[in-house]
Amino acid sequence: MNKRGRSRSTPPWPVAIPAIIALAFLVLPVLGLLIRAPWGRLIELLTSRTSLDALRLSLVTALSATVISIAIGLPLAWLLARAEFPGRRFARALVTVPLVLPPVVGGIALLLAFGRRGMVGQYLDSCCGITLPFSTPGVVVAETFVAMPFLIITVEGALRGLDTRLEDAAATLGASKSAVFRRVTLPLIGPSLIAGGVLTFARALGEFGATITFAGNLPGVTQTLPLAVYMGLEGDPDQAIALSLVLLLVSIAVLVGLRDRWLRTGVAS
Amino acid sequence: MRRPVILVVAAALALSACSSAGPSSTSPGTSPATSGSAAAQGALTVFAASSLKEAFTAIGKAFEAANRGVSVTFNFGPSSTLATQIGAGAPADVFASASGKTMDTVAAAGLAPSRSNFATNSLEIATPPASSVAISSLADLAKPGVKVAVCQQAVPCGAGAQTLFTKNSVQIKPVTEEVDVKSVLAKVELGEVDAGIVYVTDVQAAGAKVVGVVIPADHNVTNKYPIAAIKGSANAATAQAFVAFVLSPAGQAALASAGFAAP
């Protein structure tokens, strides 16, 4: 199409100036965090009881949310990409709702559905004594709600972009449907599955609005890293900054890990 | 049901007010002669504790009605958060806090040269209507299985709840420490908790949505609400006028009808 598009030249200033402003705007806050960081007290701050509780809780819940997202999100991604059923397009649209929904709205929605007096929650409470709000599983529910769409969309895109002739070939050679999925499809979408999983994990780790609304805030039980950062800002700002650095580190790790993967194979559709 | 509309308008005003209240290094103390007798005017941004929402919304309207050309915008939130924001340079003209301690942090930064206590409030137990858990006293909150919401420690209502529990020697393990008193109230209204520690005024404001369980005065905890015009305000004269209005009989009447006690 545009063959000259790749040639690099000195950008004209009407482009360069706003571009530099945009870059500075995105970089400066991160720089501010790094400059203001209490490097001397970092170890002490990160090994405090509140920090360790929040770190542990965040890791456990974000990993759980990722595992659940793969367990139920992968089948849904496969259905959306491969199966023909009425309302498929509608279902695809529904999956993206949590992506664009403000997380705090998601939290309220979760309360109204899974809260103690919620649509589903009241039966969970009366039949099995399960109450999700204010519990660690509640945090996992909130994180899964917000993060699972990343996995579904990434994997679904990969499945749709897949060359189906490879699967057809395996099938004609006598492989069963499940064997085709395990030995052909899964390895082919493997990188996307990993990318989707990492994105899901990162999103779950950073979840704030839905968590604080649905699961509340209690150190050691539902106070994840972002909540500890928010609460810390009022009591001990240095601690908030130290914990922010941890989250920043994770974000950078995700970017480095997926540097050329998720944009290419991700939202291919 | 008209309150959400007001909030939307207030939010829109808050956005537009941000652009008008730029950084200002003028010290309000230097030019009282020129502005002293001038009528209050312009845009005023008031940072106020969540528990003041109903009372101050009414006071703001009355102040606007009494001073043509003045528009008051409120930023309601946890006192501690507001204090942090003001310390970080948020364009507040007036700060009304739910505790002396949070006002101290603003005063320590040199931003609240003079303050006045304008109201007091005390705590009450809020319970959801038609609750299956019977709660008639603080001691009931300590029973196993009873879900209690309180404010987080940094917020005056959270610190107050802690003092309340200590004072009455009850061991209460809350299931959540919410951001501010209105969040606690919301969890009670939704029936997600069996009880929440809120202010007397919040129970009154919630109307039929919660059932209050009164804590006897000699067992209760009272907190004072200080108000101060913020130093460096772009609209210092109007800020002083607003503070005076809150302390005036009209302001005090609005606070009293919201359930606050006199300072």
Side-chain angles (χ1 to χ4, degrees), chain A residues 29-65:
Chain A
V30 177
L31 212 59
L33 195 65
L34 291 174
I35 289 170
R36 178 64 180 74
W39 297 106
R41 290 176 62 208
L42 204 57
I43 303 289
E44 173 206 336
L45 287 168
L46 290 180
T47 51
S48 74
R49 179 73 196 274
T50 314
S51 299
L52 288 178
D53 274 352
L55 276 167
R56 180 189 53 79
L57 189 69
S58 272
L59 282 178
V60 169
T61 53
L63 272 175
S64 309

Side-chain angles (χ1 to χ4, degrees), chain B residues 183-204:
Chain B
S183 311
V184 174
L185 200 64
K187 294 279 156 56
V188 175
E189 286 178 11
L190 285 167
E192 292 301 336
V193 291
D194 304 311
I197 304 294
V198 299
Y199 291 115
V200 170
T201 52
D202 295 306
V203 174
Q204 186 179 321

Side-chain angles (χ1 to χ4, degrees), chain A residues 51-219:
Chain A
S51 299
L52 288 178
D53 274 352
L55 276 167
R56 180 189 53 79
L57 189 69
S58 272
L59 282 178
V60 169
T61 53
L63 272 175
S64 309
T66 309
V67 169
I68 292 171
S69 294
I70 292 174
I72 63 178
L74 179 59
L76 179 57
W78 189 86
L79 274 183
L80 291 175
R82 291 295 169 78
E84 263 314 324
F85 57 92
R88 187 172 65 95
R89 280 165 163 270
F90 186 60
R92 272 187 79 207
L94 281 183
V95 165
T96 57
V97 167
L99 276 182
V100 290
L101 199 68
V104 61
V105 177
I108 294 172
L110 284 169
L111 265 182
L112 297 179
F114 298 113
R116 209 163 54 153
R117 292 187 178 178
M119 204 169 56
V120 181
Q122 55 180 317
Y123 300 111
L124 284 177
D125 190 37
S126 59
C127 90
C128 334
I130 299 172
T131 44
L132 287 171
F134 316 121
S135 68
T136 306
V139 177
V140 177
V141 168
E143 290 180 349
T144 307
F145 178 77
V146 172
M148 187 161 64
F150 284 89
L151 185 106
I152 298 173
I153 288 192
T154 311
V155 173
E156 199 232 346
L159 280 168
R160 285 155 70 88
L162 212 61
D163 187 349
T164 49
R165 285 175 302 179
L166 292 167
E167 292 165 300
D168 294 342
T172 48
L173 291 171
S176 68
K177 271 191 167 178
S178 71
V180 171
F181 183 78
R182 275 184 293 112
R183 316 260 319 248
V184 180
T185 316
L186 212 50
L188 283 172
I189 62 162
S192 294
L193 188 60
I194 292 168
V198 172
L199 277 177
T200 303
F201 177 77
R203 181 66 190 86
L205 198 70
E207 217 306 300
F208 176 81
T211 308
I212 199 164
T213 313
F214 180 64
N217 169 56
L218 194 70

